Amino acid sequence: MELLDRDTLTCSLDSRTRSALNLFEIFAELDSTNAFLLRAPHPPIGCLNLALAESQTAGRGRRGRRWAVPFGCGIMLSAGWRFARQPAALSALSLAVGVVVRDALAAAGVADVALKWPNDLVWQEGKLGGILVEAAGDGAGPALVVVGIGINVSLDAAARGAIASNWGRGPVDVQEACSNAPPSRNRLAAAVINALHDLLDRYDVEGFAPYRPRFAEADFLAGRSVRVSAPEGELVGRAAGVDSDGALLVRTSAGTRRVLTGEVRLRGDA
């Protein structure tokens, strides 16, 4: 088992990311890396707070779902970043994060990762990881964003059984995707952090526009028959990509509908 190591990881970060570091902590156990950074003093604008953990006792996914991976078997990291003002395309940030994490995984040898709106990393119909974006602040001033990323690296049978999944074939991991020769966890974590820093540093100026076509290339739902549980009710139709603000587009018998938040399942999933 390769444990996360501060010195090894720092050496694998590029110089721009290293110079932006404000807080960098690695924990053997923590309640939640996102919760830790939301509690921590906010970083200066343009600086990065990082927290990683070998295990979490209260890890969370979307809608408060528990995210649990056994000790040393995944990458659980969060990055805190403060924008001078809230980006106009904040609602699409999780999609852009998915794009750059997919790039980092591809560079590490994990090919053909798909992105399931709004925050899942998918490999061969199974869940490889997830993204949770949380924000604090108002639209008129500086805004703190905490981006949490969880990636399954090496799961045994017991761990796979313990990870809840209500769609697809269940959890998959990097080891399987790399034919049992996974990359170094430290190098993979560093690649994700480098990509994430580059995205956050650009996002308030560039927004989602540069990432939208790249999301479309990896869109797991595109063209598929879906059932969406949204605040306004249930929608049944065919997924038709995402809008400029990250909203899911669903073609229904009553026309194309935009979904900004909701739960999506493929038709036929339990």
Side-chain angles (χ1 to χ4, degrees):
M1 179 183 294
E2 179 199 5
L3 297 181
L4 296 173
D5 178 78
R6 184 190 180 96
D7 291 340
T8 303
L9 215 161
T10 301
C11 289
S12 298
L13 297 176
D14 63 38
S15 59
R16 287 185 63 254
T17 302
R18 282 198 302 271
S19 66
L21 288 178
N22 175 67
L23 173 71
F24 182 17
E25 299 286 352
I26 298 177
F27 298 91
E29 183 178 276
L30 188 65
D31 57 348
S32 157
T33 55
N34 261 36
F36 172 80
L37 290 187
L38 288 168
R39 294 190 299 262
H42 296 183
I45 291 170
C47 293
L48 192 66
N49 280 359
L50 287 177
L52 297 90
E54 295 289 6
S55 67
Q56 297 184 120
T57 58
R60 294 170 294 124
R62 285 184 72 245
R63 297 175 177 263
R65 289 195 179 95
R66 185 168 179 264
W67 178 273
V69 175
F71 183 94
C73 293
I75 290 173
M76 290 166 282
L77 70 85
S78 295
W81 182 267
R82 197 156 64 107
F83 294 104
R85 58 191 175 278
Q86 184 169 299
L90 186 59
S91 60
L93 180 57
S94 66
L95 307 187
V97 171
V99 168
V100 300
V101 172
R102 178 179 185 258
D103 290 345
L105 286 165
V110 186
D112 302 320
V113 172
L115 303 173
K116 179 178 179 284
W117 185 94
N119 69 331
D120 289 322
L121 305 167
V122 181
W123 183 77
Q124 292 193 1
E125 306 286 325
K127 183 168 180 175
L128 181 67
I131 296 157
L132 177 65
V133 175
E134 298 181 279
D138 57 55
L144 173 72
V145 172
V146 174
V147 179
I149 298 168
I151 300 171
N152 302 326
V153 176
S154 179
L155 304 176
D156 60 20
R160 289 171 185 257
I163 297 175
S165 178
N166 59 1
W167 58 268
R169 56 179 277 210
V172 295
D173 61 24
V174 169
Q175 178 169 290
E176 179 183 1
C178 291
S179 302
N180 293 317
S184 156
R185 286 174 70 227
N186 283 286
R187 290 183 182 277
L188 180 56
V192 170
I193 293 166
N194 284 332
L196 189 55
H197 171 241
D198 186 61
L199 164 66
L200 292 171
D201 194 38
R202 299 167 180 262
Y203 198 74
D204 58 343
V205 175
E206 295 182 345
F208 181 54
Y211 305 96
R212 186 182 177 192
R214 293 164 62 193
F215 182 88
E217 293 171 3
D219 191 346
F220 176 75
L221 296 175
R224 296 196 181 200
S225 182
V226 296
R227 186 182 300 274
V228 184
S229 298
E232 60 270 26
E234 186 171 87
L235 298 176
V236 175
R238 196 167 293 278
V242 297
D243 214 340
S244 59
D245 60 354
L248 177 68
L249 301 175
V250 182
R251 292 197 182 102
T252 73
S253 58
T256 299
R257 303 283 296 275
R258 284 169 32 91
V259 180
L260 278 168
T261 181
E263 199 72 17
V264 184
R265 295 180 182 175
L266 298 178
R267 295 283 298 277
D269 277 357

